Amino acid sequence: MGKFTGVLLASDYDNTLLDTESARRSGGEAPRVSERNQAALRYFMEQGGRFAVATGRALAALEHFVDEIPMNAPAIICNGAALYDFSAREYLDYILLNRDLCRRCQELLLASPTTAAEAYPLLESVIHAVRPNAYTRQHEHLTHTTVREDASLLEVPQPLTKVIFEDEHAALEALRDRLLAQPWIQECEMAFSAANLLELTGRGASKGGMVRRLAARLEIPMDHVYCVGDEANDITMLRAAAQGFAPANCVDAVRACGATLVADCRHDALAEVVDILDQRYR
């Protein structure tokens, strides 16, 4: 037993737990999780807390890096579409996309000539890409994940956890507006995970929804759940938490959601969050 027994802390990975944006832009390698963040998370867990990464990344895009993340709770992956236990190497929960979505998304791609799409089968450790562009290649480099090119989303093996559209932000905003006009969009969740990445998951598959499911699985009440994130796809979990935190590099939409600002991702945001919780749980 420790001061954090019965407390769950869930954090986004990219540009929250560590800075990956600089590596994406430069083509270099992302840094490791900082020593200060690692020490803070180990202390949190030693005191009984449960820590989970809650990321937009799929299993294949996170498993190369998981050994350097102090973590003692199942990871929320695929933008909340799945819950994965790395210690047991198994999925514990998932919400899959409707099978008709590939056909509908393929029709939208035909009307968006500069847009690429990535599709993530639940049972494969590769990214399937249609019309890959520069953003696809940046994603491939950053995640160290194999990208397999397909002529159409209709060729991608089912079932899928998510689909990502990749393009300039203005083009994705136009695509988002077209998606919002589709009656079937009610079957999906949609969010920007970065300025150049627009993600679709199944209805109910969001970081906030899966944080709630994880907390219930761990028998931790939501008034002892804390979340950290920097992007629009983090807002559902920031709002679900007893208190949401955001690194200073977060997007404006996260600032507007009422999250408590801490240090930016280059200056140990997670360590600052643990310091705050250390004062709360005495």
Side-chain angles (χ1 to χ4, degrees), residues 223-278:
D223 57 357
H224 293 290
V225 175
Y226 301 89
C227 298
V228 196
D230 72 300
E231 263 290 352
N233 63 323
D234 297 310
I235 290 174
T236 57
M237 73 172 179
L238 297 177
R239 287 177 170 161
Q243 184 173 1
F245 297 91
N249 54 280
C250 66
V251 299
D252 290 342
V254 169
R255 289 176 180 268
C257 83
T260 300
L261 293 181
V262 293
D264 69 38
C265 65
R266 295 174 296 279
H267 295 91
D268 310 313
L270 265 294
E272 186 171 332
V273 171
V274 172
D275 285 345
I276 293 170
L277 297 181
D278 201 33

Side-chain angles (χ1 to χ4, degrees), residues 207-224:
K207 290 189 183 185
M210 197 56 81
V211 161
R212 290 183 182 277
R213 292 164 82 138
L214 174 59
R217 181 179 287 270
L218 298 175
E219 299 183 336
I220 295 175
M222 290 303 296
D223 57 357
H224 293 290

Side-chain angles (χ1 to χ4, degrees), residues 56 79 162-165 189-193 197-201:
N79 213 29
K162 68 173 185 173
V163 170
I164 305 178
F165 295 104
E189 305 288 344
M190 177 171 56
F192 280 99
S193 58
L197 304 175
L198 179 63
E199 304 205 9
L200 289 184
T201 54

